[in-house]
C-alpha cells in the first residue's frame, strides 16, 4: 500500500506550485506530513530533475482525501503520478548531516540526500528510459563543485 503526498518544493516547502497544497507524489507508508523527501520534478520544458520537497499533507491511497489528491493531480494534467522512493528503499548510506560550509555560502546536501536523489533519477530512467533529464540532473557532486573550487584545490 502507498500514500499520496502533497509536496511543496524547497527545504521549507514554500514553492507550492500549481495547487494550493502542493504537487502530488506517491510515497511509501512511512512518509508523514513535514518529512523532507527528494522527488523528481518536471521543468516547464518537460525535463526531469531531482529536488528537495517537504510533505505538506500525506493521505492513504484508499482514503477519500487520497483519491481526491490523485484526482486533483490528474485534473492538473498529470497522467501518471510520480513515485518517490526513500533513501532506505534505495539503499542509500552515509551521513545524513550535511557538511559545514563557511558563513554566507549555500549549505551542501548530505551524502545520504545525494544518494537518494541519484537513486530516484535512476528509478525514473528505469521506468521510462526515454526520460529527458536537465543538463545537470546526472552531475555528481564532485563534477558540480569543481566550478566553485579554487584553482589550487583542483
Amino acid at each position: 500500500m502507498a500514500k499520496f503526498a502533497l509536496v511543496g518544493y524547497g527545504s521549507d516547502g514554500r514553492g507550492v506550485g500549481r495547487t494550493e497544497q502542493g504537487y502530488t507524489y506517491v510515497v511509501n507508508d512511512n512518509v508523514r506530513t513535514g518529512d523532507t523527501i527528494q522527488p523528481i520534478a518536471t521543468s516547464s520544458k518537460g525535463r526531469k530533475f531531482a529536488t528537495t520537497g517537504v510533505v505538506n499533507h500525506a493521505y492513504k491511497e484508499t482514503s477519500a482525501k487520497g483519491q481526491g489528491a490523485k484526482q486533483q493531480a490528474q485534473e492538473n494534467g498529470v497522467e501518471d503520478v510520480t513515485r518517490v522512493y526513500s533513501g532506505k528503499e534505495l539503499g542509500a548510506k552515509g551521513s545524513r548531516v550535511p557538511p559545514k560550509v563557511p558563513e554566507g555560502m549555500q549549505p551542501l546536501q548530505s551524502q545520504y540526500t545525494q544518494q537518494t536523489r541519484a537513486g530516484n533519477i535512476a528509478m525514473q530512467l528505469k521506468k521510462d528510459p526515454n526520460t529527458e533529464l536537465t543538463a545537470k540532473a546526472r552531475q555528481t557532486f564532485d563534477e558540480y563543485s569543481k566550478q566553485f573550487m579554487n584553482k589550487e584545490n583542483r
Side-chain angles (χ1 to χ4, degrees), residues 27-77:
V27 296
N28 72 20
D29 282 338
N30 298 330
V31 173
R32 303 197 188 296
T33 300
D35 285 355
T36 300
I37 62 173
Q38 306 301 318
I40 300 296
T42 306
S43 73
S44 59
K45 295 180 181 179
R47 296 184 184 125
K48 305 280 185 181
F49 62 97
T51 189
T52 298
V54 175
V55 177
N56 293 327
H57 301 285
Y59 305 114
K60 288 187 177 182
E61 188 176 27
T62 56
S63 72
K65 288 184 177 182
Q67 291 301 311
K70 181 179 181 181
Q71 184 178 9
Q72 186 177 15
Q74 290 170 340
E75 288 172 3
N76 286 329

Side-chain angles (χ1 to χ4, degrees), residues 55-106:
V55 177
N56 293 327
H57 301 285
Y59 305 114
K60 288 187 177 182
E61 188 176 27
T62 56
S63 72
K65 288 184 177 182
Q67 291 301 311
K70 181 179 181 181
Q71 184 178 9
Q72 186 177 15
Q74 290 170 340
E75 288 172 3
N76 286 329
V78 177
E79 298 161 13
D80 187 23
V81 181
T82 304
R83 171 85 163 95
V84 179
Y85 296 91
S86 69
K88 185 176 182 180
E89 290 175 294
L90 296 167
K93 299 198 182 316
S95 173
R96 292 183 188 216
V97 179
K100 294 190 180 215
V101 295
E103 191 175 322
M105 290 184 67
Q106 189 76 358

Side-chain angles (χ1 to χ4, degrees), residues 130-149:
N130 297 324
T131 298
E132 186 177 353
L133 298 174
T134 59
K136 295 181 181 177
R138 285 192 173 179
Q139 236 179 0
T140 66
F141 175 75
D142 291 335
E143 292 169 343
Y144 174 76
S145 63
K146 278 183 185 177
Q147 62 186 323
F148 301 108
M149 297 185 72

